[in-house]
Amino acid sequence: MFMATVDASIVIISLPAIFRGIHLDPFAAGNIGYLLWIIMGYLLVTAVLVVTLGRLGDIVGRVRIYNLGFVVFTLSSVALSLDPAHGSGGALWLIGWRLVQAVGGAMLMANSAAIITDAFPAEQRGMALGVNQISALAGQFIGLVLGGVLSVWDWHAIFWINVPFGAFGTIWAYRSLRELSERRPAKIDWWGNLTFAIGLATLLAAITYGIQPYQNHSMGWTNPRVFGSLIVGVVLLILFGFIETRVPQPMFRLSLFRNRAFAAGNAAALLASIARGGMQFMLIIWLQGIWLPLHGYDYTDTPLWAGIFLLPLTAGFLLAGPLSGYLSDRYGVFAFTTGGLTLFAASFVGLLLLPLNFSYWEFALLIMLNGFGSGMFSAPNTSAIMSSVPAEHRGAASGMRSTFQNAGMSLSIGVFFSLLIAGLAGRLPSALSAGLIGQNVAPAAAHHAAQLPAVSTVFTAFLGANPMQTLLGPTGVLKTMTPAAVRTITGKEFFPNLISAPFHHGLTIVFATAAGMALLAATASLLRGSN
């Protein structure tokens, strides 16, 4: 699980090194799509396939699917590290093999919780699933640090690192794991699988394209194709729900939602995943675009240091996860799930109140509280979900739980990026234009730079590039200015001070929404009852 989720995030920090390595300018027209698909493709495939692979585990054996996942994951990591092409061809190679790697990751995600649930008695299940769940959550954030460290050496190393662990895991799994669950041969629900996979993939792909610029708009939500894809995705998912109530052996057992513990636990997990997933990207942009440059870090070094400065978040997960899993075995899950989500929401309120140029110890304390609250919730909630279903449905239930978690991550990126860009789009152009004119940039050139899509400005900081150099370099304006003015505009303080007010406006919207999501998740957790 740790490997599978590390690879969901390890490329985020490594993207600058990857694009340099394949000689592709991510800011050239049309190339933002490559950037987004390298990030989002893995999340999309895992979200779509985990239910199907979990149900397949119930039919042919959970260990068999899990072991095959190790093989697929390892071989695709080898292929990713051997990218033979440059430019757009190199990017397509990475995207394609990332999708294959995600299939292996989905096999691991879909069946690991079910295998553990089979192996441990109820009184030890919380601790066991706690280790599993926190490994998954910690992997999302440790991947950021690993990506930063390894990409400084060689970007291929972010994929090489999987190979020895994957090879060991494959051999160990085939030698050591035994099938404890009873296989239940059944017909595959082909229509359910197709409508679910196509519907969810269409919906998540539309969200991915929705945060890309479209014509003169900062985002693509006005694109008829995006709007049409959203409608098609929703219609197919509604049709999927109808099919699942009619087939004798459904892929997605909607009857499980009659169980209040199962329904409430999954609702809380989805809402918490949406709140947590978008926060990861917002914190990276905040650190790389504003805080680190203001504290003297070069833009090229900010991806690595952003991962390092987010380590307290991972520490919170690692402290709370196994401990809350162990204690929930003895005292029940209710206090830990609802209490953890309350702390989770409180941390967002604290981040909302921080100034953009914060004192690091306050920031570290708040993100550690965020990780601690999330860890308190995740392990007991997973244990409660998996313990609430009959043994023969654990593979499907594990896949359904993973689907909500992974779909929440994908949705959160679309939701929070859209909220941030919407907040920036209203205020950034005027601030950028006024700041450039104040540095004696020609008004025409200043207005042109100010009208560039806000998402491009955000991604320059996200990718560790100098934002003003990236925005103004292609226009030739910098060549007409004095060396002192160029140093000021491309320095470490001009852009952060310029973007601070618009960014804070967008960040306020994002963290307020995340806090609201976390409180809704706590409310859903309350509805599970005390048993």
Side-chain angles (χ1 to χ4, degrees):
M1 281 300 296
F2 180 81
M3 282 177 55
T5 56
V6 158
D7 268 72
S9 63
I10 197 170
V11 300
I12 295 172
I13 294 295
S14 309
L15 283 171
I18 290 173
F19 279 113
R20 286 195 299 271
I22 62 175
H23 308 297
L24 181 69
D25 179 7
F27 309 113
N31 285 354
I32 285 182
Y34 295 129
L35 182 151
L36 286 173
W37 275 104
I38 289 175
I39 298 173
M40 296 286 288
Y42 189 94
L43 295 173
L44 190 151
V45 170
T46 53
V48 167
L49 289 184
V50 283
V51 174
T52 299
L53 293 169
R55 177 66 178 135
L56 200 59
D58 288 338
I59 297 172
V60 304
R62 294 162 193 165
V63 170
R64 179 178 295 181
I65 299 298
Y66 180 86
N67 291 349
L68 182 60
F70 259 121
V71 175
V72 174
F73 193 90
T74 305
L75 292 179
S76 58
S77 296
V78 173
L80 281 162
S81 68
L82 299 176
D83 189 347
H86 293 110
S88 59
L92 290 172
W93 175 280
L94 292 176
I95 291 169
W97 281 106
R98 283 280 287 173
L99 298 181
V100 176
Q101 187 185 48
V103 175
M107 290 177 173
L108 300 173
M109 292 179 187
N111 291 283
S112 65
I115 291 171
I116 289 173
T117 305
D118 291 337
F120 285 85
E123 64 272 14
Q124 296 176 359
R125 200 169 288 154
M127 177 64 175
L129 286 168
V131 173
N132 177 265
Q133 187 70 7
I134 298 310
S135 296
L137 294 173
Q140 294 175 10
F141 292 95
I142 290 177
L144 300 177
V145 181
L146 275 176
V149 172
L150 293 174
S151 62
V152 169
W153 172 44
D154 191 318
W155 71 267
H156 297 86
I158 68 172
F159 303 117
W160 290 338
I161 195 172
N162 293 325
V163 177
F165 291 104
F168 170 79
T170 301
I171 296 169
W172 174 85
Y174 274 103
R175 288 177 57 88
S176 303
L177 286 182
R178 297 291 178 267
E179 194 69 64
L180 298 179
S181 62
E182 181 183 347
R183 296 183 192 175
R184 296 181 178 271
K187 293 182 179 179
I188 295 176
D189 173 19
W190 291 110
W191 284 112
N193 277 276
L194 285 172
T195 51
F196 179 79
I198 297 173
L200 186 58
T202 302
L203 187 64
L204 295 179
I207 291 171
T208 302
Y209 284 110
I211 59 179
Q212 296 185 46
Y214 172 67
Q215 294 182 351
N216 295 324
H217 301 279
S218 58
M219 289 180 289
W221 297 113
T222 56
N223 186 338
R225 292 185 178 180
V226 170
F227 187 71
S229 297
L230 289 172
I231 294 174
V232 170
V234 170
V235 169
L236 284 173
L237 290 177
I238 292 172
L239 178 61
F240 161 74
F242 178 78
I243 290 171
E244 297 304 274
T245 62
R246 296 293 187 272
V247 295
Q249 295 173 323
M251 176 192 83
F252 207 97
R253 292 194 171 271
L254 297 178
S255 59
L256 293 177
F257 288 100
R258 295 172 185 164
N259 182 322
R260 187 168 63 164
F262 183 82
N266 277 299
L270 174 63
L271 291 165
S273 181
I274 293 174
R276 180 174 56 246
M279 177 205 66
Q280 173 179 310
F281 287 88
M282 296 308 108
L283 293 181
I284 292 171
I285 293 169
W286 188 354
L287 288 170
Q288 292 184 200
I290 296 177
W291 194 83
L292 287 168
L294 286 177
H295 287 78
Y297 292 85
D298 290 330
Y299 283 103
T300 53
D301 297 330
T302 56
L304 170 61
W305 285 102
I308 292 172
F309 281 122
L310 286 174
L311 281 176
L313 186 61
T314 306
F317 285 136
L318 297 177
L319 285 171
L323 179 62
S324 63
Y326 170 76
L327 293 174
S328 68
D329 287 336
R330 301 186 61 184
Y331 303 109
V333 304
F334 184 74
F336 295 96
T337 54
T338 306
L341 287 171
T342 304
L343 285 177
F344 189 53
S347 68
F348 283 117
V349 176
L351 289 169
L352 190 63
L353 299 175
L354 273 186
L356 285 183
N357 193 8
F358 49 77
S359 170
Y360 180 70
W361 72 266
E362 294 176 318
F363 177 79
L365 186 62
L366 284 170
I367 62 173
M368 179 176 279
L369 180 67
N370 186 284
F372 195 88
S374 188
M376 273 184 68
F377 161 75
S378 295
N381 188 63
T382 301
S383 178
I385 291 172
M386 295 304 298
S387 298
S388 69
V389 300
E392 64 268 22
H393 298 323
R394 282 174 182 161
S398 178
M400 292 161 75
R401 179 193 61 81
S402 295
T403 290
F404 285 117
Q405 185 168 304
N406 294 335
M409 284 284 293
S410 301
L411 285 169
S412 70
I413 295 171
V415 169
F416 287 128
F417 257 117
S418 296
L419 291 172
L420 179 66
I421 298 304
L424 283 173
R427 301 189 178 201
L428 182 60
S430 58
L432 189 57
S433 178
L436 291 174
I437 291 173
Q439 293 297 320
N440 297 319
V441 174
H447 291 312
H448 173 73
Q451 296 308 312
L452 293 175
V455 68
S456 300
T457 307
V458 168
F459 274 130
T460 54
F462 183 71
L463 290 175
N466 186 310
M468 300 313 301
Q469 182 74 49
T470 304
L471 287 174
L472 297 178
T475 68
V477 170
L478 296 177
K479 296 178 181 178
T480 66
M481 301 174 63
T482 64
V486 171
R487 283 194 299 271
T488 298
I489 288 177
T490 59
K492 299 172 184 175
E493 296 186 5
F494 181 80
F495 178 77
N497 287 325
L498 193 68
I499 199 177
S500 288
F503 184 79
H504 190 263
H505 175 68
L507 206 61
T508 299
I509 299 171
V510 166
F511 283 144
T513 304
M517 289 279 189
L519 289 175
L520 284 174
T523 304
S525 184
L526 276 173
L527 296 176
R528 83 172 78 234
S530 58
N531 294 327

